[in-house]
């Protein structure tokens, strides 16, 4: 069963790798080793929100190159026996080679040898939080209850906040602050809000040029609008409908949504606010949706709880269609049904309610348009 799932993921995501990265001529290289990695473990890497398979572990070793036109944040993670669902942050530049090593499967704590100063900053953050990160990884590996994991995550964030002021303001500190502020926006009970506000203010004042956009996003998270306020703003937008189905069983959620559109062709777009390729797909399809206004097709957008609710409601103002905010269980049930390893995922249904098309990753505007037109017949 595990090998079958690996085969599916390899085939699908390797295709994304080949089609999405073929345009770049500049690259950076990552080599790694851990004796704890089993042969056949899949190596995932990304220079954005969606990761792709880049290598398979053999004798504990792996190596891959990524297209890098400029300074870039990337991640490294693994899929295989005993691997945590956590990743290692790696900063890259063109022609840079980075070496990562570990003695176990506690991937976020592995040593990273890099010439980039941002990686040294990241290393100082990691070392300051080493014990709590180790505890978090162990809880992930043992599938500890979510409440216990959340408690440890809060301690981890507090430790990060405590060290950030003593570090240079660079991509590592800003990325860390971004993650904390995003969590603070999601949680009404975030316990360190006053410290976060002071930290955000100080880092923004010290930041060199180049971080303005990211810092503005952080500020919007720290001082986020109330969910009810955004909902009231959305209520006057006739092009957007949004709904939650928290009381619907996971196995019933997809059909419950589809039942709203009997007799219509339907495009389902599974996305998240943090997914860059998802948002790129929205922009690409916007002109097509204008062309199809008044035709027998409905655009349906599904997002998981990893999308902060206030951010989600802000974003959907500009994405005409019907939007559904699912529970974690509902979201994973749909992904499993589509045999999808990640997002964006697209599915098209014809007017009889039959699924006629599916794609993991944006397949191109022409393909989407052609499949919708066939589904309308």
């Amino acid at each position: 069963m595990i090998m079958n799932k690996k085969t599916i993921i390899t085939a699908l995501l390797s295709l994304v790798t080949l089609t999405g990265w073929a345009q770049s001529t500049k690259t950076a290289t990552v080599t790694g080793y851990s004796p704890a990695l089993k042969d056949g473990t899949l190596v995932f890497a990304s220079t954005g929100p969606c990761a792709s398979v880049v290598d398979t572990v053999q004798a504990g070793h792996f190596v891959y190159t990524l297209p890098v036109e400029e300074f870039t944040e990337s991640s490294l993670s693994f899929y295989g026996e005993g691997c945590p669902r956590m990743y290692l942050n790696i900063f890259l530049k063109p022609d840079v080679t980075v070496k990562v090593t570990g003695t176990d499967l506690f991937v976020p704590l592995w040593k990273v040898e890099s010439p980039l100063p941002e990686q040294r900053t990241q290393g100082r953050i990691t070392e300051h939080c080493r014990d709590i990160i180790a505890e978090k990884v162990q809880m992930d590996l043992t599938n500890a209850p979510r409440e216990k994991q959340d408690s440890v995550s809060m301690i981890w964030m507090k430790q990060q906040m405590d060290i950030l002021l003593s570090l240079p303001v660079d991509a590592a500190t800003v990325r860390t602050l971004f993650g904390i502020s995003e969590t603070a926006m999601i949680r009404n009970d975030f316990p360190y809000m006053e410290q976060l506000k002071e930290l955000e203010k100080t880092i923004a004042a010290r930041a060199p040029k180049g971080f303005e956009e990211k810092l503005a996003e952080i500020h919007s998270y720290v001082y986020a609008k109330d969910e009810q306020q955004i909902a009231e703003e959305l209520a006057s937008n006739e092009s957007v409908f949004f709904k939650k189905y928290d009381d619907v069983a996971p196995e019933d959620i997809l059909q419950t949504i589809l039942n709203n559109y009997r007799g219509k062709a339907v495009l389902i777009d599974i996305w998240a606010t943090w997914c860059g390729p998802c948002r790129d797909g929205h922009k690409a399809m916007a002109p097509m949706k204008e062309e199809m206004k008044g035709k027998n097709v409905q655009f349906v957008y599904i997002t998981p709880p990893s999308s902060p609710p206030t951010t989600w409601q802000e974003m959907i103002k500009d994405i005409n269609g019907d939007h559904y905010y699912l529970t974690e269980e509902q979201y994973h049930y749909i992904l499993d049904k589509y045999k999808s390893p990640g997002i964006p995922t697209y599915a098209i249904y014809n007017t009889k309610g039959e699924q006629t098309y599916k794609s993991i990753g944006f397949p191109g505007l022409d393909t989407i348009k052609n499949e919708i037109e066939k589904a309308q017949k």
Side-chain angles (χ1 to χ4, degrees), residues 279-346:
R279 299 194 300 270
D280 290 342
H282 297 162
K283 292 176 183 176
M285 285 192 285
M288 178 194 72
K289 289 166 65 177
E290 284 297 314
E291 293 175 15
M292 291 187 170
K293 269 189 175 180
K295 294 187 178 181
N296 194 33
V297 59
Q298 183 63 47
F299 294 89
V300 175
Y301 298 88
I302 291 173
T303 199
S306 61
S307 294
T310 47
T311 304
W312 171 68
Q313 289 185 318
E314 277 285 344
M315 284 187 177
I316 67 176
K317 291 177 182 178
D318 299 318
I319 308 171
N320 294 348
D322 287 5
H323 295 262
Y324 296 88
Y325 193 94
L326 302 190
T327 67
E328 196 71 33
E329 294 77 13
Q330 292 168 339
Y331 167 72
H332 284 294
Y333 177 84
I334 291 180
L335 283 187
D336 287 343
K337 184 174 179 61
Y338 288 143
K339 295 182 172 59
S340 172
I343 55 175
T345 291
Y346 304 90

Side-chain angles (χ1 to χ4, degrees), residues 22-33:
Q23 303 300 318
S24 181
T25 56
K26 298 178 182 178
T27 61
T29 302
V30 178
T31 67
Y33 173 74

Side-chain angles (χ1 to χ4, degrees), residues 6 37-43 55-57 78-81 83:
K6 286 182 179 180
L37 289 169
K38 305 283 187 181
D39 284 359
T41 297
L42 298 180
V43 183
D55 198 13
T56 303
V57 174
F78 300 91
Y79 182 88
E81 184 180 346
C83 294

